[in-house]
Amino acid sequence: MKKVKTILITIIVMSITLQSYSSNNDEPIENTSSYVDYKLNSTLIEDSNISLFFNNSITLIEIKNINNSIRLWLPVELTAGTYTVISGEADNYTVNLIDNINSFTSENESGTITLSNVTENKIVGTFSFTGTLNSVAFSISEGRFSVSSLN
């Protein structure tokens, strides 16, 4: 009887040990929160106020803060890759910097948008572009984003 008890205790201890070992090696849970950071004329801006909108003809990623907003206009059908920003062309890769205080929208934008991960519910990528806002040149560099849809 003492031998059976020892075997049962050993099995229980090993079972608990194996379960805790297994849970420590599980894949990490993916962080699905949205984020964005970029440099506006060399000033780092970090934010989590990023939204994803889409309809039958366009996908819009909007990054808002108190002073400025950035809009990344993308086609509906997205695939990973690097794309050249084409200023003012609808249904293509375009960008805008918006002065929220004075209601100015940028012009003459040029740059790139890179989509590194595109799934049904999440878009991850980078961006950089230059242009003019109320006739003043600006530069957006080192932009990174991750945005999740609510679908």
Side-chain angles (χ1 to χ4, degrees):
M1 184 71 167
K2 190 174 181 179
K3 194 173 193 175
V4 172
K5 218 180 201 185
T6 305
I7 291 173
L8 285 175
I9 291 173
T10 304
I11 290 173
I12 292 171
V13 169
M14 288 186 68
S15 174
I16 292 170
T17 303
L18 288 174
Q19 284 178 346
S20 65
Y21 178 78
S22 173
S23 66
N24 287 339
N25 288 331
D26 288 345
E27 291 295 316
I29 297 172
E30 182 177 65
N31 181 357
T32 59
S33 63
S34 297
Y35 70 85
V36 64
D37 57 51
Y38 58 93
K39 288 185 179 178
L40 172 57
N41 295 332
S42 301
T43 300
L44 179 63
I45 297 174
E46 298 175 304
D47 208 338
S48 60
N49 191 2
I50 183 170
S51 302
L52 177 63
F53 305 97
F54 53 92
N55 61 29
N56 292 337
S57 62
I58 199 80
T59 300
L60 170 64
I61 298 173
E62 185 172 39
I63 303 157
K64 280 188 146 183
N65 66 44
I66 294 170
N67 298 323
N68 298 299
S69 295
I70 293 177
R71 290 185 180 152
L72 307 174
W73 303 87
L74 314 170
V76 173
E77 298 296 322
L78 298 175
T79 57
T82 298
Y83 304 93
T84 301
V85 169
I86 301 173
S87 183
E89 286 194 24
D91 299 337
N92 218 323
Y93 292 87
T94 60
V95 294
N96 295 112
L97 176 64
I98 300 164
D99 177 341
N100 293 334
I101 296 169
N102 298 305
S103 299
F104 294 124
T105 300
S106 65
E107 300 175 330
N108 308 315
E109 301 90 353
S110 64
T112 60
I113 297 173
T114 299
L115 304 178
S116 57
N117 185 10
V118 177
T119 66
E120 183 177 325
N121 297 319
K122 189 173 188 174
I123 304 170
V124 179
T126 62
F127 61 95
S128 63
F129 64 100
T130 59
T132 57
L133 184 63
N134 195 25
S135 301
V136 176
F138 70 87
S139 172
I140 301 288
S141 62
E142 301 177 37
R144 301 178 316 131
F145 67 90
S146 175
V147 61
S148 301
S149 72
L150 299 176
N151 294 345

